[in-house]
Amino acid sequence: MNPEKSLEKIWSNQLIIGLTAYLKKMKGEATKKDRIDYIDSLISATGGLIAIIIIGLVAVNLGYPMALGPLGASCLLVFCAHKGQLSQPRHVFGGHLFSTTIALITWSILGKSLFTIGLVLAIVLILMILTKTLHPPAAASAFVAVNSQAGWGFLISVVMGTFLLIIISIIYNNLFQTRQYPQRWL
């Protein structure tokens, strides 16, 4: 048998095995159907409604209604996934504070561009991981800060909004026997 053809066949088999394993990762896993708790969903929706109305009044009066997108996403986490690690006060407040600050600094230096937006995302991801303040909606605050070229007043709106969100969530979630917020502060 020809050693070159044998080696070629081994490489071909390895490639097929590797490609098959790679594609299997994309298949995902089967999920079980969870029963929807309609009462808890209604409680979450009402909390989000109350919070976004109050936060919206502040953001609009400060002149930064664009803060409502990222803060609305934070409302979803804080009220619907209130037990989750990414919903805890450290993550919500720290994530928005660090992300928005880094975005505004980077924008002040480099201006608005696709490169700046990409760079901001990379820096924000690293910073949130290092500070243990990972909160996905905070990345949206960074994008809004750069893309809208809002300026430093945007940071005040975001900080006040996150502070209000945490306070409202503490008061509201703890009204219900089945809820506790926060699960942890640090």
Side-chain angles (χ1 to χ4, degrees), residues 140-151:
S141 286
F143 285 153
V144 170
V146 172
N147 208 31
S148 69
Q149 303 179 60

Side-chain angles (χ1 to χ4, degrees), residues 24-85:
K24 274 186 176 180
K25 289 180 177 182
M26 295 177 198
K27 184 175 122 182
E29 296 180 19
T31 59
K32 63 177 182 172
K33 291 190 178 192
D34 292 330
R35 190 177 149 271
I36 297 173
D37 185 344
Y38 292 103
I39 301 295
D40 192 60
S41 297
L42 186 60
I43 290 169
S44 295
T46 304
L49 173 68
I50 293 166
I52 205 66
I53 287 172
I54 294 168
I55 293 166
L57 287 171
V58 172
V60 168
N61 283 324
L62 289 174
Y64 297 98
M66 68 283 269
L68 292 177
L71 293 172
S74 292
C75 282
L76 184 132
L77 284 175
V78 167
F79 290 102
C80 294
H82 53 89
K83 294 179 182 177
Q85 181 179 349

Side-chain angles (χ1 to χ4, degrees), residues 66-138:
M66 68 283 269
L68 292 177
L71 293 172
S74 292
C75 282
L76 184 132
L77 284 175
V78 167
F79 290 102
C80 294
H82 53 89
K83 294 179 182 177
Q85 181 179 349
L86 305 182
S87 303
Q88 301 308 306
R90 173 191 177 95
H91 292 266
V92 176
F93 190 78
H96 280 289
L97 175 67
F98 294 143
S99 295
T100 306
T101 303
I102 287 300
L104 290 168
I105 290 170
T106 307
W107 166 73
S108 295
I109 296 168
L110 300 177
K112 178 185 171 184
S113 70
L114 288 176
F115 173 76
T116 304
I117 292 171
L119 181 63
V120 162
L121 177 63
I123 295 169
V124 161
L125 288 174
I126 291 168
L127 183 64
M128 284 195 288
I129 289 168
L130 290 175
T131 59
K132 296 183 173 119
T133 58
L134 192 62
H135 185 68

Side-chain angles (χ1 to χ4, degrees), residues 146-165:
V146 172
N147 208 31
S148 69
Q149 303 179 60
W152 286 94
F154 181 69
L155 180 62
I156 294 167
S157 186
V158 168
V159 167
M160 287 180 70
T162 55
F163 180 74
L164 284 170
L165 175 57

